[in-house]
Amino acid sequence: ILISGVILASSIAAAMYLFRVGYQSLAKADSIYLIHSKIPIAINLIRASNKKEGTEDLSDGISLKWKKELIAKSTATGQINQREIKYYIYLYKVVFTIGNQVEQKNYEIYLLQHERMR
């Protein structure tokens, strides 16, 4: 009876340990999924912003911090209704960090923006 009690207790302890490890892995995967689901929102915020750097709260405890660095500037021309229109074209290197208190992910993207000459 004593030997079977020890075997039963060790089996229960092992099962509890596996449940704890599984729960921790599930929580981390959920956190990473939440961060990755906010990346398109983050890119749109960066693209829409005229600031060179900034921070934003993306809700659900996810925050965004970015910095834009101008790599190249050029001009281009186009036509609308037989009228020539000139544009400035900017190429930025954007480094951003997105995450919560537990998990942080760093990314680097290149962003092409344009502005009509006045």
Side-chain angles (χ1 to χ4, degrees):
I1 293 177
L2 185 61
I3 294 172
S4 63
V6 169
I7 292 172
L8 180 61
S10 348
S11 300
I12 291 173
M16 296 302 278
Y17 175 75
L18 290 175
F19 274 112
R20 185 172 63 96
V21 168
Y23 181 74
Q24 288 172 341
S25 296
L26 182 62
K28 186 172 181 176
D30 187 44
S31 176
I32 291 171
Y33 172 75
L34 189 59
I35 290 169
H36 284 251
S37 70
K38 300 287 184 177
I39 290 175
I41 297 167
I43 292 172
N44 285 335
L45 281 172
I46 293 168
R47 184 178 296 149
S49 175
N50 292 331
K51 297 188 257 179
K52 300 296 179 206
E53 59 184 75
T55 58
E56 291 286 335
D57 179 26
L58 301 178
S59 75
D60 298 321
I62 306 295
S63 62
L64 166 69
K65 183 177 180 181
W66 82 88
K67 184 174 183 179
K68 286 183 187 178
E69 178 186 341
L70 182 63
I71 294 175
K73 179 180 176 182
S74 184
T75 59
T77 58
Q79 286 189 345
I80 296 179
N81 297 332
Q82 306 296 332
R83 288 182 35 210
E84 188 174 277
I85 298 174
K86 294 186 178 186
Y87 292 94
Y88 291 114
I89 298 175
Y90 306 99
L91 179 63
Y92 292 99
K93 176 182 173 184
V94 181
V95 177
F96 67 96
T97 302
I98 185 170
N100 53 23
Q101 294 176 348
V102 178
E103 192 75 30
Q104 297 280 325
K105 296 288 183 182
N106 299 314
Y107 296 94
E108 180 179 299
I109 61 172
Y110 292 90
L111 180 63
L112 188 64
Q113 291 184 319
H114 68 280
E115 175 183 19
R116 190 172 176 176
M117 289 184 190
R118 304 213 184 271

